[in-house]
Amino acid sequence: MAKLIVNGTVVEHFFDANTPYSAVSQLVSEQYGETAHFEIELSETERKQQHRASIRQQVSSEVADSDSLLGTTSDTVHLLLNELSGFINKLATAQSLAEMRASATSLQMAIGHIEAKVSSGELQFPYQTKGLDTVNAEITARATGVNTILNSVL
């Protein structure tokens, strides 16, 4: 938990790190006087949570809100599912190398341009910035967490 420090003394060991700064300022002013100086000491976990919240707020205000991002993610998954399904079905019945190549045509037309944009630097995905180890750890943790909950209720 965060600590509230006023005039160099810890006055609250279990301070809510999400309390708005203006509210803390008013509280300190009312309880310790107008000239009191304060700081909030965050735990490492709280510091990471606030940093993550700040990044999410910036994405929401500069890129898209959560619902729009979810919609884009949904569109992407549907596109890939449809194109991959068509590719697999055509590939499964291909009898020659020419038919195998032809089976990839629709998928290539739908998403083939992405590779060139990534290679040129025109497009960069968040997972590339975060790093594969981080992304894989997040996928594993979230999938396992959701599955644990589902197993406990189903």
Side-chain angles (χ1 to χ4, degrees):
M1 291 291 296
K3 296 177 186 173
L4 176 61
I5 302 169
V6 179
N7 296 328
T9 303
V10 176
V11 297
E12 178 66 56
H13 286 275
F14 302 104
F15 190 74
D16 181 358
N18 296 315
T19 305
Y21 185 86
S22 59
V24 177
S25 181
Q26 182 178 348
L27 173 82
V28 169
S29 179
E30 289 172 359
Q31 291 188 359
Y32 299 96
E34 293 287 326
T35 60
H37 299 282
F38 73 92
E39 63 181 291
I40 301 167
E41 184 178 290
L42 302 175
S43 69
E44 185 62 25
T45 300
E46 290 164 326
R47 201 175 352 272
K48 286 179 182 178
Q49 288 172 339
Q50 286 193 353
H51 181 67
R52 186 176 296 122
S54 173
I55 291 170
R56 287 180 176 161
Q57 178 57 43
Q58 185 176 1
V59 168
S60 181
S61 66
E62 295 178 22
V63 180
D65 60 33
S66 294
D67 289 340
S68 296
L69 292 171
L70 181 60
T72 301
T73 302
S74 177
D75 291 343
T76 303
V77 170
H78 293 140
L79 168 70
L80 290 173
L81 182 61
N82 183 51
E83 293 298 330
L84 188 57
S85 175
F87 171 65
I88 292 301
N89 289 333
K90 291 172 192 166
L91 187 60
T93 60
Q95 299 293 315
S96 67
L97 182 56
E99 288 177 342
M100 290 175 69
R101 287 185 179 140
S103 68
T105 302
S106 178
L107 185 59
Q108 183 181 25
M109 295 208 29
I111 63 171
H113 66 284
I114 301 285
E115 180 186 20
K117 287 184 177 189
V118 170
S119 293
S120 73
E122 181 183 347
L123 172 62
Q124 187 170 14
F125 291 105
Y127 82 86
Q128 294 171 297
T129 301
K130 292 168 76 174
L132 285 177
D133 289 342
T134 299
V135 170
N136 285 328
E138 289 175 355
I139 291 168
T140 300
R142 291 178 184 144
T144 301
V146 169
N147 192 60
T148 299
I149 292 169
L150 288 175
N151 279 331
S152 71
V153 298
L154 297 179

